[in-house]
């Protein structure tokens, strides 16, 4: 990178090292002059060093490193999204601190995407010096007074005044409307404010003023207002840069990189507060004697060193100090000075801007210096111009180095090789110093060549931007309210869950007694869990979950070996004729036998059939009704074992001995019971949901015998089909049910299981979109498609790490334009829906466990639950929330959840093995 030669050069004006075209060269004799200007020359290497050191400080601060204290603060601003133009409404804006000794009140009307731009109405008020240096209460009362004066002077509507407070000083923000002042800068030093929440101080002053009820909705730094105010163009403004009386920048950082924040999702605007960058190592070599004396005389010596080399409050003073220095050494004004030249602050920013302006400069130099009581000659005027140019060139280059650090940080934060970004600029230095902007741009291109940067001047100094933040804050607040209202019915209280538990107990008792109940409590003729003595080879079928599987299960002394194959059940078969379905099943069995070299062998077969069946025996099961998207004709009311045997018969030359039909809950319980004999409950939370458990035979009406146990298939998916859960059902549940192939059925399942959660989420997203809360209110075609939002998305979206990037990826795949607020809301919707499902499921297990404890008259019951199902297994929080809810609702039960490794096929084989063993025993 070529940064050779003195300040001002051909290649680009102000490029470090080369003399400036069009400006007279200092007479050779003035080595003093050269030495003086030399002090303000910053080399390319020095700029790169500053860039690197500032970047390092920024990252130290982001990581929350405390000691050594980073040179910059990197303050999160709670602004998490850049405006998306839908903001509407009238907002009051109070700007304090950006423009030095003045504050500004604005009335900004935002008209949304299609509205025409309404010019803000504003009024500027000069802040008396004694107020800037007096008591804090005086300053805020002054601000409240200006607000009242503005409102009295401008015919604006009085209802629900929402105010955005632009407070341009370093603050610790703890919310969009909570901000504590760290330290004053730029000529302010009011007492009793540092360490205080400035929003509260303003609210108190407005209350004391009592003329108007104004709701202070948001407080923002002026850099944020500048960034937010830039017109949405080709690319979003993600950096805000202010060079006014002071200087600072903000940019959109990935929230997960900001240690101070407890959320790692989305982006957050960070105010760099680079004014305090004073890293002696990097800055030392470029600090001049003039900088030191300016700092020494300032209100805050030792602080804001970087700002004092760039900010408009200081450039004039630097020039003045240099002119005094050169005058006293006879280089300027014939060695004469003047009282005005010797008085601090007599040369202002606008003076410097005018004097260094090559076109109008020399005449203006004369006029300004004469106003300061000096009588400059032509060469004086030219030398003064050089001094102005040197001071401003350095300021622009240093500002460029700082901006290049922010761009480098953005690149790292976005893991982008090539960064495309727009930088919103604001402040008097930009407005008055065209040369400053050009040098800044050129130097940034040299220091950050891989970044494609465009500069967007802020149109009204950030007032609109502050209104945008206020609108965003107001919008976020109203969206949050609408989101909470929408999700509130999903947040079940302890009382509601206990009511579900009690309702389930009641339905269980009725179902066991054979009375009308939404819980059919079906006897399964499985009376015992395996005792480990089972032996042999068995075929097993597993139908009803995500996959249809055929298994060969070898139960031997050393344990159980399983060989299985997954086959698909096309929707047309699942919803075709029963004959077609069972023929398809037999085809798969034959294919499996051929592959396993079992053809011609008639192994005992256990059939896991995961649908509600009234069993008349171990190998007799009348299908009561299909669930989970199955709807094959001619099966309901039929004995599915007969249907299978019929298909086997139709396929000559196949020998199969169907011994048992079991529900997947039973298969899962048996499978886990083989390892843990205390496993007496089976739970499925997959495509569908259901549970079974070992009930006292005496409690099972319709089955002979009253000692011992029998496994009961609860078919809890149908719980609430009698309307007993309607108090929990939301409009989203109702629309999912209405759209299902079995409306009014499986209501509990439709609030819990994998086949439906994605659909519930999709419909909530559509609802929130219609409220304008999501996706800018734009209804997205793709999201209208049923089942487009898979339940597995919930598991991915709610996974703890990287959630938001995954949210984005998933939703972008769905063609949904996504803001990070949207992403966070989608995440909250998923969480609300899955948490309700898990807590309802937990209430169900608690009901079963408590029933068993009471059955056995135990103070405390220890029991294990065998669990299977994709949702339970894959969702990052489902299982722990189920367990927590069981502990909450059944504190006298110690319940262990065992995830079934081999699925219920093994269980079906074990049930078959037990049946064969029992049959063997009766035969001998
Ligand atoms: C695996 C079991 C099967 C059960 C399924 C449920 O082997 O019997 O039906 O889990 O989970 P899903 O596949 O529906 O997620
Ligand atoms: C303040 C910043 C502000 C900047 C520009 C600095 O003195 O610390 O908060 O953004 O001036 O106004
Ligand atoms: C069925 C149950 C099955 C559950 C889990 C429900 O739809 O009715 O028989 O156990 O899904 O697969």
């Amino acid at each position: 990178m070529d940064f050779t030669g003195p300040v001002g050069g051909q290649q680009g004006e102000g490029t470090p090292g080369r003399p400036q075209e069009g400006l007279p060269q200092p007479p050779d004799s003035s080595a003093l002059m050269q030495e003086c200007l030399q002090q303000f020359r910053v080399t390319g290497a020095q700029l790169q060093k500053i860039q690197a050191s500032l970047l390092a400080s920024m990252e130290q601060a982001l990581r929350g490193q405390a000691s050594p204290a980073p040179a910059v603060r990197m303050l999160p601003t709670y602004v998490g999204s850049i405006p998306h133009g839908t903001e509407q409404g009238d907002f009051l804006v109070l700007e304090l601190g950006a423009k030095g000794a003045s504050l500004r009140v604005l009335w900004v009307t935002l008209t949304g995407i299609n509205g025409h731009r309404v010019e803000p109405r504003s009024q500027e008020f000069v802040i008396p010096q004694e107020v800037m240096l007096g008591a804090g209460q005086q300053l805020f009362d002054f601000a409240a007074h200006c607000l009242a004066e503005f409102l009295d002077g401008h015919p604006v509507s009085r209802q629900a005044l929402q105010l955005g407070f632009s407070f341009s000083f370093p603050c610790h923000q703890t919310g969009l409307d909570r901000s504590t002042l760290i330290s004053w800068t730029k000529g302010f030093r009011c007492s009793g404010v540092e360490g205080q929440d400035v929003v509260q101080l303003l609210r108190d002053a407005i209350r004391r003023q009592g003329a108007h009820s104004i709701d202070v909705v948001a407080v923002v730094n002026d850099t944020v207002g500048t960034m937010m105010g830039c017109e949405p163009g080709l690319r979003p403004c993600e950096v805000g840069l202010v060079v006014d009386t002071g200087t600072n920048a903000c940019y959109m950082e990935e929230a997960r990189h900001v240690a101070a924040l407890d959320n790692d999702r989305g982006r957050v605007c960070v105010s760099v507060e680079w004014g305090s960058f004073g890293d002696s190592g990097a800055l030392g070599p470029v600090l001049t004697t003039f900088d030191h004396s300016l700092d020494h005389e300032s209100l805050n010596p030792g602080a804001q060193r970087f700002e004092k080399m760039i900010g408009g409050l200081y450039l004039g003073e630097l020039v003045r100090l240099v002119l005094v220095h050169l005058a006293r050494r006879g280089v300027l004004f014939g060695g004469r000075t003047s009282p005005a030249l010797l008085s601090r602050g007599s040369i202002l920013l606008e003076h410097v801007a005018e004097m260094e302006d090559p076109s109008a400069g020399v005449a203006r130099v004369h006029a300004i210096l004469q106003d300061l009581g000096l009588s400059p000659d032509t060469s004086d005027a030219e030398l003064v111009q050089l001094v102005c140019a040197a001071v401003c060139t350095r300021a622009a280059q240093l500002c460029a180095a700082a901006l290049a650090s922010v761009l480098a940080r953005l690149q790292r934060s976005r893991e982008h090789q090539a960064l495309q970004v727009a930088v919103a600029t604001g402040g008097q230095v930009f407005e008055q110093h065209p040369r400053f902007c050009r040098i800044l741009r050129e130097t940034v291109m040299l220091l950050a060549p891989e970044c494609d940067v465009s500069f967007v001047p802020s149109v009204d100094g950030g007032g609109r931007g502050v209104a945008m933040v206020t609108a965003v804050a107001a919008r976020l607040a109203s969206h949050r309210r609408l989101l909470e209202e929408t999700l509130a019915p999903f947040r079940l209280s302890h009382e509601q869950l206990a009511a579900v538990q009690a309702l389930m107990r009641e339905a269980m008792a009725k179902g066991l007694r054979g009375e009308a109940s939404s819980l059919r409590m079906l006897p399964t003729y499985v009376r015992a869990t395996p005792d480990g003595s089972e032996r042999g080879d068995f075929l097993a079928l597993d139908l009803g979950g995500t996959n249809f599987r055929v298994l060969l299960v070898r139960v031997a002394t050393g344990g159980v070996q399983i060989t299985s194959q997954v086959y698909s059940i096309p929707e047309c078969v699942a919803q075709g004729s029963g004959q077609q379905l069972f023929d398809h099943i037999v085809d798969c069995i034959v294919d499996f036998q051929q592959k396993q070299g079992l053809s011609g062998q008639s192994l005992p077969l256990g059939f896991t059939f995961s649908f509600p069946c009234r069993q008349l025996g171990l190998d007799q099961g009348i299908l009561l009704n299909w669930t989970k998207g199955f709807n094959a004709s001619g099966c309901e009311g039929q004995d599915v074992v007969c249907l299978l045997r019929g298909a086997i018969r139709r396929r000559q030359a196949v020998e199969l001995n169907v011994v048992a039909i079991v529900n997947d809950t039973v298969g899962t319980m048996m499978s886990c019971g083989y390892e843990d004999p205390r496993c007496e409950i089976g739970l499925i939370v997959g495509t569908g949901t259901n549970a079974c458990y070992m009930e006292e035979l005496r409690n099972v009406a319709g089955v002979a015998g009253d000692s011992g146990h029998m496994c009961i298939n609860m078919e809890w998916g149908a719980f609430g089909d009698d309307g007993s859960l309607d108090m929990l059902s939301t409009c989203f549940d109702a629309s999912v049910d209405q759209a299902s192939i079995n409306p009014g059925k499986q209501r509990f399942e439709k609030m819990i299981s994998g086949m439906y959660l994605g659909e519930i989420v999709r419909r909530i997203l559509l609802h929130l979109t219609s409220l304008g809360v999501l996706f800018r209110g734009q209804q997205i075609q793709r999201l209208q498609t049923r089942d487009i939002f898979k339940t597995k998305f919930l598991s991915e979206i709610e996974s703890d790490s990287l959630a938001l990037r995954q949210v984005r990826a998933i939703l972008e795949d769905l063609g949904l334009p996504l803001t990070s607020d949207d992403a966070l809301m989608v995440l909250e919707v998923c969480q609300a829906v899955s948490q309700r499902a898990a807590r309802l499921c937990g209430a169900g297990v608690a009901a079963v466990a408590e029933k068993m404890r009471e059955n056995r008259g135990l103070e405390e019951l220890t029991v294990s639950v065998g669990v299977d199902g994709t949702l339970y297994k894959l969702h990052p929080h489902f299982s722990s929330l189920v367990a927590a809810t069981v502990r909450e609702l059944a504190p006298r039960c110690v319940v262990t959840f065992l995830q079934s490794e081999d699925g219920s096929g093994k269980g079906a084989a074990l049930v078959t093995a037990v049946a064969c063993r029992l049959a063997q025993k009766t035969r001998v």
Side-chain angles (χ1 to χ4, degrees), residues 544-545 609-612 625 627-628 663-665 684 686-691 713 715 717 746 749:
F609 183 75
S610 312
F611 302 93
N625 60 275
T627 64
K628 291 177 291 186
N663 183 263
D664 53 354
T665 54
I684 295 286
T687 316
T689 184
N690 187 16
N713 167 10
E715 283 300 333
Q746 303 294 102
E749 177 163 89

Side-chain angles (χ1 to χ4, degrees), residues 542-547 549 608 610 628 664 668 684-688 868-871 902-905:
D542 186 350
L543 177 73
T546 313
N547 308 306
R549 291 192 312 158
T608 300
S610 312
K628 291 177 291 186
D664 53 354
T668 300
I684 295 286
V685 190
T687 316
D868 208 332
T870 321
L871 177 58
D902 315 305
S904 60

Side-chain angles (χ1 to χ4, degrees), residues 48 137 141 148 167 232 343 354 611 706 720 727 737 741 807 814 832:
Q48 285 167 329
Q137 179 160 331
D141 284 345
F167 186 71
S343 54
E354 292 173 68
F611 302 93
D706 54 12
M727 80 286 193
D737 177 52
I741 61 171
V807 174
L814 284 176

Side-chain angles (χ1 to χ4, degrees), residues 97-98 168-170 185-186 221-223 242 246-248 273 304 307:
S168 311
F169 300 93
T185 63
K186 294 173 294 188
N221 183 265
D222 56 345
T223 55
V242 166
T247 181
N248 184 21
E273 285 296 340
Q304 301 294 102
E307 173 163 85

Side-chain angles (χ1 to χ4, degrees), residues 155-184:
V156 293
S157 63
R158 291 271 181 281
Q159 87 299 338
L161 291 169
Q162 293 180 312
L163 182 137
F165 183 20
S166 168
F167 186 71
S168 311
F169 300 93
C171 291
H172 271 311
Q173 273 201 258
T174 50
L176 258 177
D177 63 349
R178 281 190 310 285
S179 191
T180 303
L181 174 63
I182 299 168
S183 62
W184 287 114

Side-chain angles (χ1 to χ4, degrees), residues 124-143:
E124 199 135 331
F125 299 84
V126 175
I127 309 171
Q129 190 69 7
E130 67 278 12
V131 172
M132 288 173 70
L133 303 172
Q137 179 160 331
Q138 190 189 14
L139 173 69
F140 284 92
D141 284 345
F142 176 80

